[in-house]
Each structure stands twice: as structure tokens, then as C-alpha cells.
Amino acid sequence: MIALAIVTTALSASAQGGHYIGIRGGAGASKVRFYPRKESKLLLPNMTYGVAYKYLGGDRFFGGVELDVNYVEKGYKYLVKSDSDSSLQRKLTAIELPFMWQPHVWFAQNRARFFLNAGPYLSYMLKTSDERLVSKKDGEQAVYSYDFNSLRDNRLEYGLSAGAGFGATIAGRLEVLFEFRYVVGFSDILKNPNKYPGSITQESPIDQMNVTLGIHYLFIRQSGRSTIAKEPRVSKKERRQRRQ
């Protein structure tokens, strides 16, 4: 009954341009591209939560722009030796600020939309966990203290965020969203030997992928006529009458 009520409400709503605020949350995985190469595996699950500001224009296809402030978990997992049963794992938490263009296409009488996201992001590391040696067979075998060191570790990170999703308008001013994002790091989480002589890692950008659910609220409607809503059809006879 609840699902039926939501669908019914969504079908009675109409898409609108304007300024939105919202929240999002979900889970994902991450992986570091080490050089010299290490046999890396996906580290999961990594949780992500955030708040968003979004502007949707009145154009049917252009979409809008979105700025998020996200609290994310990410990190690395690599095998101690090739084809080893044991892996070394570390998770860090960070604040990320993606700024994205969001083109979209409306359907279902402009009450739902498919959208894409693309744009740069900045990240600031808040804290890092201990490194853990984990065996598939025996479980956690050892824990090594890992304190943040500004000489060795980079707090700031940047890259590109891209993804796709689906949104449905409900109750007039609310939009429910399902979204997938892939985040590609361009900077390193560890400093190279030129900056930190004790390091053997020359490159360490981090990639992420996550799936989230969100809800956005339209708090300021777009002024003027929006091309999002479909205009009523006018017959040829009515058009001739208007010209006369």
C-alpha cells in the first residue's frame, strides 16, 4: 500500500526547475593504483553520506549543476605477495566536495528523469585507520599503528567524479534519486620519494565507486515559464483561429 501511494503521488507530480537542497547516503568500494605496481583489490564496504545543493534549469535537456559536501570512507587493500592469501588494508575518512554538471532527459510525462554527472572534486583527509593484515583463511592476523604524517601523507586530493542516475518527482517539491558514481583520483595519497625520502611509492592515486540513494527538496522555484512542463497541444484549427 505504501509503495502504491508513492507511485500514485509521483504520477500526479510535475517536474520543476529551481533550487534544491538534499541529502544522500550509500556504500561503495575503493582501490589505489600503486606504482611500483602492487596487486590491489577492492576495499569494501565504504560508507558515504552527504548534503547537496542543486540548480535545475528550465531547459528540457541541459539539466543543471550540483555541489555536494560528502563524508566518505576509502582506502586500499593489496596482497602481501602475488597470489597470497593475506592482504594489507587501510581505510581513511575524508570530506569531499564534487562540483558537477548534470545533463538529463525527462520522461514519464516529465515526472521522472535520467541524468548524468561529471565534474571535478576536492578531498580533505580527516583521519586514517591502522593498517591491518587480514587472511581469508585465518581472519585478522595483525594490526599496525598508522598515524597521519604530513611529511609522508597527503591530506589534499583531487580528481574527477562521473556517474549516472534516475530521479522521480513526488509530492510536488520532492525528488527521490538513485545514483552510481565513479571517482577517479588524479593526485596521490602518499608522497613520492622526491618529497619523502623514506617512501618507495612513486604514485598512489585512489579510485572509488559508490551507489547512493538521496532525496532533494525544491525550496525556490524557477521564476518565469519553464520548458520542463509540457505545453498543451493546439490543433491546426485552433492555430488558424488564433492567427485570424
Side-chain angles (χ1 to χ4, degrees):
M1 293 297 293
I2 296 176
L4 179 61
I6 292 174
V7 172
T8 303
T9 305
L11 292 177
S12 64
S14 61
Q16 300 183 63
H19 301 268
Y20 290 75
I21 55 173
I23 56 175
R24 61 190 297 265
S30 62
K31 183 178 181 180
V32 174
R33 289 175 277 124
F34 286 109
Y35 182 79
R37 184 181 178 276
K38 297 178 181 179
E39 194 169 343
S40 299
K41 303 293 183 180
L42 288 175
L43 179 68
L44 73 165
N46 298 330
M47 306 307 296
T48 179
Y49 311 97
V51 295
Y53 161 77
K54 176 178 67 184
Y55 171 75
L56 290 185
D59 184 82
R60 190 184 301 275
F61 299 103
F62 175 79
V65 293
E66 181 174 330
L67 174 64
D68 295 348
V69 180
N70 297 327
Y71 177 88
V72 301
E73 295 178 340
K74 51 188 175 181
Y76 57 73
K77 172 183 177 181
Y78 63 86
L79 299 184
V80 176
K81 297 179 182 178
S82 181
D83 299 324
S84 171
D85 169 69
S86 299
S87 61
L88 196 64
Q89 306 177 13
R90 180 167 71 98
K91 184 173 288 188
L92 57 91
T93 56
I95 294 293
E96 286 187 357
L97 285 82
F99 179 73
M100 298 165 294
W101 174 42
Q102 194 175 95
H104 61 197
V105 177
W106 294 99
F107 59 97
Q109 297 182 337
N110 294 327
R111 298 182 180 96
R113 67 190 182 104
F114 173 78
F115 61 87
L116 301 175
N117 274 331
Y121 79 91
L122 292 174
S123 177
Y124 181 82
M125 185 165 67
L126 298 174
K127 61 180 181 179
T128 180
S129 67
D130 297 329
E131 283 190 329
R132 299 175 182 272
L133 184 64
V134 180
S135 166
K136 290 182 180 179
K137 183 187 300 183
D138 303 321
E140 189 172 274
Q141 295 178 303
V143 178
Y144 307 107
S145 177
Y146 193 105
D147 297 323
F148 180 85
N149 184 336
S150 59
L151 297 177
R152 173 193 58 201
D153 305 301
N154 284 317
R155 279 201 186 273
L156 294 177
E157 184 205 349
Y158 60 90
L160 180 66
S161 176
F166 167 82
T169 303
I170 64 173
R173 286 179 175 262
L174 295 179
E175 184 183 27
V176 177
L177 304 107
F178 173 81
E179 184 179 355
F180 169 81
R181 286 188 192 175
Y182 195 94
V183 182
V184 181
F186 292 164
S187 60
D188 299 320
I189 62 172
L190 299 173
K191 295 182 179 179
N192 60 49
N194 293 330
K195 296 181 180 180
Y196 181 65
S199 175
I200 60 173
T201 302
Q202 298 180 27
E203 297 178 8
S204 55
I206 187 167
D207 297 342
Q208 308 166 63
M209 59 186 75
N210 57 63
V211 176
T212 59
L213 290 174
I215 185 166
H216 289 183
Y217 173 72
L218 175 64
F219 69 99
I220 300 179
R221 296 180 189 273
Q222 179 175 290
S223 60
R225 185 176 66 85
S226 171
T227 61
I228 290 177
K230 286 186 176 179
E231 297 180 2
R233 293 184 177 180
V234 180
S235 66
K236 293 181 179 179
K237 182 178 179 181
E238 290 176 328
R239 288 198 294 270
R240 285 197 299 267
Q241 289 175 349
R242 290 180 182 180
R243 285 197 292 267
Q244 292 174 358

